[in-house]
Coordinates of all heavy atoms in Angstrom, one line a residue:
E19 N 25.3 45.1 -0.1 CA 26.1 45.9 0.8 C 27.3 45.0 1.3 O 27.2 43.9 1.8 CB 25.3 46.4 2.0 CG 26.1 47.3 2.9 CD 25.3 48.0 4.0 OE1 24.1 47.7 4.1 OE2 25.9 48.7 4.8
E20 N 28.5 45.6 1.1 CA 29.7 44.9 1.6 C 29.9 45.2 3.1 O 29.8 46.4 3.6 CB 31.0 45.4 0.9 CG 31.1 44.7 -0.5 CD 32.5 44.9 -1.1 OE1 33.3 45.8 -0.6 OE2 32.8 44.1 -2.0
I21 N 30.1 44.1 3.8 CA 30.3 44.2 5.3 C 31.6 43.5 5.6 O 31.9 42.4 5.2 CB 29.2 43.5 6.1 CG1 27.8 44.1 5.7 CG2 29.4 43.6 7.6 CD1 26.7 43.3 6.1
K22 N 32.5 44.3 6.4 CA 33.7 43.6 6.9 C 33.4 43.2 8.3 O 33.2 44.0 9.2 CB 34.9 44.6 6.9 CG 36.2 44.0 7.4 CD 37.3 45.0 7.3 CE 38.6 44.3 7.6 NZ 39.8 45.2 7.4
L23 N 33.3 41.8 8.4 CA 33.0 41.3 9.7 C 34.3 41.2 10.5 O 35.3 40.5 10.0 CB 32.4 39.9 9.6 CG 31.0 39.8 9.1 CD1 30.5 38.3 9.1 CD2 30.0 40.6 10.0
L24 N 34.4 41.8 11.6 CA 35.5 41.6 12.6 C 35.0 40.6 13.6 O 34.2 40.9 14.5 CB 35.8 43.0 13.2 CG 36.2 44.1 12.3 CD1 36.3 45.4 13.0 CD2 37.5 43.8 11.5
I25 N 35.5 39.4 13.4 CA 35.0 38.3 14.2 C 35.8 38.0 15.4 O 37.0 37.6 15.3 CB 34.9 37.0 13.3 CG1 34.2 37.3 12.0 CG2 34.3 35.8 14.1 CD1 34.4 36.3 10.9
W26 N 35.2 38.3 16.6 CA 35.9 38.1 17.8 C 35.6 36.7 18.4 O 34.5 36.3 18.7 CB 35.5 39.1 18.9 CG 36.1 40.5 18.6 CD1 36.1 41.2 17.5 CD2 36.7 41.3 19.6 NE1 36.7 42.4 17.7 CE2 37.1 42.5 19.0 CE3 37.0 41.1 21.0 CZ2 37.8 43.5 19.6 CZ3 37.7 42.1 21.6 CH2 38.0 43.3 20.9
D27 N 36.7 35.8 18.4 CA 36.6 34.5 18.9 C 37.0 34.5 20.4 O 38.1 34.6 20.7 CB 37.6 33.6 18.1 CG 37.6 32.2 18.5 OD1 36.9 31.8 19.4 OD2 38.4 31.4 17.9
V28 N 35.9 34.6 21.2 CA 36.1 34.7 22.6 C 36.4 33.4 23.3 O 35.7 32.4 23.0 CB 34.9 35.4 23.3 CG1 35.1 35.5 24.8 CG2 34.6 36.7 22.7
A29 N 37.5 33.3 24.1 CA 37.9 32.1 24.7 C 36.7 31.4 25.4 O 35.9 32.0 26.0 CB 39.0 32.3 25.7
G30 N 36.7 30.1 25.2 CA 35.6 29.3 25.8 C 35.8 29.3 27.3 O 36.9 29.4 27.8
T31 N 34.6 29.1 28.0 CA 34.7 29.1 29.4 C 33.9 27.9 29.9 O 33.2 27.3 29.2 CB 34.0 30.4 30.0 OG1 32.6 30.4 29.6 CG2 34.7 31.6 29.6
S32 N 34.0 27.6 31.2 CA 33.1 26.7 31.8 C 32.0 27.6 32.5 O 32.2 28.8 32.6 CB 33.8 25.8 32.8 OG 34.5 26.6 33.8
A33 N 31.0 27.0 32.9 CA 29.8 27.8 33.4 C 30.1 28.8 34.5 O 29.5 29.8 34.6 CB 28.7 26.8 33.9
D34 N 31.1 28.5 35.4 CA 31.4 29.3 36.5 C 32.4 30.4 36.2 O 32.7 31.3 37.0 CB 31.8 28.5 37.7 CG 33.0 27.6 37.4 OD1 33.3 27.4 36.3 OD2 33.6 27.1 38.4
E35 N 33.0 30.4 35.0 CA 34.0 31.4 34.6 C 33.4 32.6 34.0 O 32.4 32.5 33.3 CB 35.0 30.8 33.6 CG 36.0 29.8 34.2 CD 36.9 29.3 33.2 OE1 36.5 28.5 32.3 OE2 38.1 29.7 33.2
K36 N 34.0 33.8 34.2 CA 33.4 35.0 33.7 C 34.3 35.5 32.6 O 35.5 35.5 32.6 CB 33.3 36.1 34.8 CG 32.4 35.7 35.9 CD 31.0 35.8 35.5 CE 30.0 35.4 36.6 NZ 29.3 34.2 36.4
V37 N 33.7 36.0 31.5 CA 34.4 36.6 30.4 C 34.5 38.1 30.6 O 33.5 38.7 31.0 CB 33.6 36.3 29.0 CG1 34.3 37.0 27.9 CG2 33.6 34.8 28.8
P38 N 35.6 38.7 30.4 CA 35.7 40.1 30.6 C 34.7 40.9 29.8 O 34.5 40.7 28.6 CB 37.1 40.5 30.1 CG 37.9 39.2 30.2 CD 36.9 38.1 29.9
K39 N 34.0 41.8 30.4 CA 32.9 42.6 29.8 C 33.5 43.4 28.6 O 32.8 43.7 27.6 CB 32.3 43.6 30.8 CG 31.1 44.4 30.2 CD 30.4 45.2 31.3 CE 29.4 46.1 30.7 NZ 28.4 45.6 29.8
S40 N 34.8 43.8 28.7 CA 35.4 44.6 27.6 C 35.3 44.0 26.3 O 35.3 44.6 25.3 CB 36.8 45.0 28.0 OG 37.6 43.8 28.2
Y41 N 35.3 42.6 26.3 CA 35.3 41.9 25.0 C 34.0 42.2 24.2 O 33.9 42.1 23.0 CB 35.4 40.4 25.2 CG 36.7 39.9 25.6 CD1 36.9 38.5 26.0 CD2 37.8 40.7 25.7 CE1 38.1 38.0 26.4 CE2 39.1 40.2 26.1 CZ 39.2 38.9 26.5 OH 40.4 38.4 26.9
F42 N 32.9 42.5 25.0 CA 31.6 42.6 24.4 C 31.3 44.0 24.0 O 30.4 44.2 23.2 CB 30.5 42.2 25.5 CG 30.6 40.7 25.8 CD1 31.5 40.2 26.7 CD2 29.8 39.8 25.1 CE1 31.5 38.9 27.0 CE2 29.8 38.5 25.4 CZ 30.7 38.0 26.3
L43 N 32.1 45.0 24.4 CA 31.8 46.4 24.1 C 31.9 46.7 22.6 O 32.8 46.2 22.0 CB 32.8 47.3 24.9 CG 32.7 47.3 26.4 CD1 33.7 48.2 27.0 CD2 31.3 47.7 26.9
G44 N 30.9 47.4 22.1 CA 30.9 47.8 20.7 C 30.5 46.7 19.7 O 30.7 46.9 18.5
S45 N 30.0 45.6 20.2 CA 29.7 44.5 19.3 C 28.3 44.8 18.7 O 27.4 45.3 19.3 CB 29.7 43.1 20.0 OG 28.9 43.2 21.1

């Protein structure tokens, strides 16, 4: 099966920083 991976490289954080939830939607 052919799969087109759309690879989201989410900016790195330090432990106390929060990543926007919108980046995770639909993954």
Side-chain angles (χ1 to χ4, degrees):
E19 184 173 1
E20 280 196 340
I21 304 166
K22 182 176 188 175
L23 289 181
L24 302 170
I25 308 162
W26 284 50
D27 181 359
V28 179
T31 61
S32 56
D34 56 344
E35 289 180 285
K36 298 288 180 244
V37 175
K39 183 175 173 51
S40 60
Y41 291 173
F42 293 85
L43 296 175
S45 56

